[in-house]
Amino acid sequence: MTVVQDRGRLRLVVLALGQFLMAVDFDIVFVALPSIGRALGFAPADLQWVVSAYTVVLGGFLLLGGRAADRVGSRRTLAAGLALFGLASLVGGLAPTAGALIAARAVQGLGAALVVPAGLALIGTTFADGPERNRAFALWGVAGASGAAVGALAGGVLTATLGWQAVLLVNVPVAALLLAGTRAFEADGPRAPGGFDAVGAVLATAGASALVHGIVTRGWTALAGLLLLAAFAAVEHRRGAHALLPTRLVARRALAVPAAAVFLFMGAVAAAFYLTTTFLQDVLGLDALAAGLAFLPMSLLAMLGAGVAFPRIVARYGPFGALATGLAGMGVGIAGLALSLPAGSYAVTAPWLAWTLFAGIAFPAVFRAAGAAAGPREQGVAAALVSTAQYVGGAVGLAAILAIGGLDRAAAGDGLVDALRTTGLLAACVVTAGAVLVAALRPRRTPQTGDERAR
């Protein structure tokens, strides 16, 4: 029994550290953005592509990664993704130009598109439903929040001491360690029948990329993105059971609601982080290290939300109740943050950073809800569906909120602070809309099992 328990703990540690690595990579880059922009000569409107190249490719290929986890095997897919992610991090850290860095970030996104759904699928199939799985998702959420804390702080420390390149190179040894750790899982069985729909994956990625580019540049590529996404939907409908995203899953409310909610959630989160780092460095004049330290309370609160509040709320109200609570609290907190910015003081702004406590509740609730709605052989694609909405929502939402709020073209001074406030209020409206959506469309709870089901 001890050997079995030890192996179970090791598996959970590997999965949690995988989520930790993804969170570190996302947040560590935010703090380093000003230094990256100066070093590689990015235009102000193009700098967000250091983030968006990663998130758009990740979002586009997550469905392919989820299908690979279900058909090739979750352990194999996780190992392949970690190897690709580590190699791309090495190349990105050595990138001599803006274009080379964006390309490396895109390949990182491809590796992460294999890691994320495979890891979530392994949680759904390794741990028993009920309290054991709730605890696994809670630790997974804490790992993500602690990754955000380490990412923000490490981004400041590494950028200030070793240069921006270190924020990417630090991923390499962690990815190698996790790759070795995948041996703790049982070997995958034989490959399940069916293809991988590479055409669908390309259409999804190209459509999301074009849509984000069109939003950023206010150009015709936004329309091209919508057309490509429509073509993706048509291809998926014709492929039926072999589709990258089966239509029967999209039509399932228990999956569709969390997917829509996390799309709005991530757009608001990305915008809130972007405006916070801009406020700290461009308005308050903090250097990268001080900005990283200022982010630390946010991530600690998110850890508290995921590790302490989420298990209690989900046990009492279910994953959809936890999700609605988290989103509503975020809306209030981000709105307060936005309204506090004109004071020009971190002391005035800091109390409103408590919005991340509610983000820590909402994030694991999304994936707990989605996992409960899928069968054992659909865990990969269900996780990929929600993760796709998560990462594409982050890219599209960030671009849209920045463009509408005017932050992508605001100059220093009062105009910048006004744009920051407008951007924050828009983000608050977006995440509040997510709370309303979840509360209005949450599936019915069946009294026999307590599971969330959609009629």
Side-chain angles (χ1 to χ4, degrees):
M1 181 63 71
T2 302
V3 174
V4 173
Q5 290 176 339
D6 289 345
R7 183 175 288 272
R9 293 190 187 99
L10 178 57
R11 291 170 178 173
L12 184 54
V13 167
V14 170
L15 295 174
L17 283 177
Q19 170 64 9
F20 175 86
L21 180 61
M22 298 302 107
V24 164
D25 187 71
F26 185 80
D27 289 294
I28 202 170
V29 171
F30 269 105
V31 179
L33 283 178
S35 297
I36 292 172
R38 290 189 294 269
L40 298 183
F42 274 92
D46 294 334
L47 186 58
Q48 67 174 290
W49 279 100
V50 176
V51 177
S52 295
Y54 175 83
T55 55
V56 169
V57 173
L58 171 54
F61 279 96
L62 271 167
L63 292 171
L64 186 65
R67 184 60 88 187
D70 289 337
R71 292 189 170 167
V72 172
S74 298
R75 191 180 84 162
R76 295 187 188 107
T77 303
L78 179 63
L82 287 168
L84 187 60
F85 184 87
L87 179 61
S89 296
L90 176 63
V91 173
L94 302 176
T97 65
L101 176 59
I102 290 175
R105 290 285 288 164
V107 178
Q108 272 189 304
L110 181 58
L114 301 177
V115 171
V116 171
L120 285 166
L122 285 168
I123 290 179
T125 56
T126 301
F127 303 98
D129 195 13
E132 182 179 340
R133 195 174 297 172
N134 286 343
R135 286 193 296 270
F137 273 107
L139 181 57
W140 180 83
V142 169
S146 62
V150 172
L153 180 58
V157 172
L158 293 174
T159 301
T161 58
L162 300 176
W164 66 266
Q165 296 91 340
V167 305
L168 293 169
L169 295 176
V170 73
N171 293 332
V172 178
V174 181
L177 179 64
L178 290 174
L179 182 59
T182 59
R183 296 179 62 86
F185 295 92
E186 294 181 2
D188 294 315
R191 171 179 167 176
F196 293 98
D197 191 10
V199 173
V202 171
L203 285 173
T205 302
S209 301
L211 179 61
V212 173
H213 184 270
I215 292 172
V216 172
T217 63
R218 298 171 179 80
W220 61 271
T221 52
L223 177 59
L226 292 175
L227 293 175
L228 286 168
L229 292 175
F232 167 72
V235 167
E236 297 307 282
H237 180 71
R238 287 198 303 270
R239 289 185 64 85
H242 299 293
L244 192 68
L245 179 60
T247 54
R248 59 183 171 77
L249 287 180
V250 179
R252 193 177 299 174
R253 191 198 304 178
L255 281 175
V257 170
V262 81
F263 183 93
L264 300 174
F265 167 89
M266 278 303 298
V269 167
F273 271 105
Y274 195 99
L275 75 87
T276 301
T277 192
T278 301
F279 175 73
L280 293 174
Q281 297 188 65
D282 293 346
V283 176
L284 299 186
L286 301 183
D287 60 21
L289 176 58
L293 290 171
F295 269 94
L296 187 58
M298 301 171 64
S299 300
L300 294 176
L301 285 168
M303 292 170 61
L304 184 65
V308 178
F310 165 72
R312 290 166 171 75
I313 296 174
V314 76
R316 184 174 179 85
Y317 300 107
F320 284 89
L323 179 56
T325 300
L327 295 175
M330 285 177 61
V332 174
I334 294 175
L337 172 67
L339 294 174
S340 74
L341 295 178
S345 167
Y346 181 73
V348 174
T349 299
W352 294 106
L353 300 180
W355 69 266
T356 56
L357 172 72
F358 294 94
I361 297 170
F363 189 63
V366 167
F367 293 94
R368 181 67 180 91
R377 295 189 177 183
E378 295 176 330
Q379 289 293 314
V381 72
L385 169 62
V386 179
S387 298
T388 297
Q390 173 194 351
Y391 287 101
V392 175
V396 174
L398 175 63
I401 293 172
L402 293 186
I404 296 171
L407 186 55
D408 59 342
R409 57 188 182 278
D414 292 340
L416 177 59
V417 174
D418 288 343
L420 289 170
R421 180 181 58 203
T422 302
T423 299
L425 291 174
L426 285 171
C429 289
V430 167
V431 76
T432 301
V436 173
L437 174 73
V438 172
L441 299 180
R442 57 181 295 173
R444 179 178 61 87
R445 178 186 292 272
T446 59
Q448 293 85 355
T449 65
D451 292 339
E452 303 285 353
R453 304 291 184 200
R455 287 190 172 184

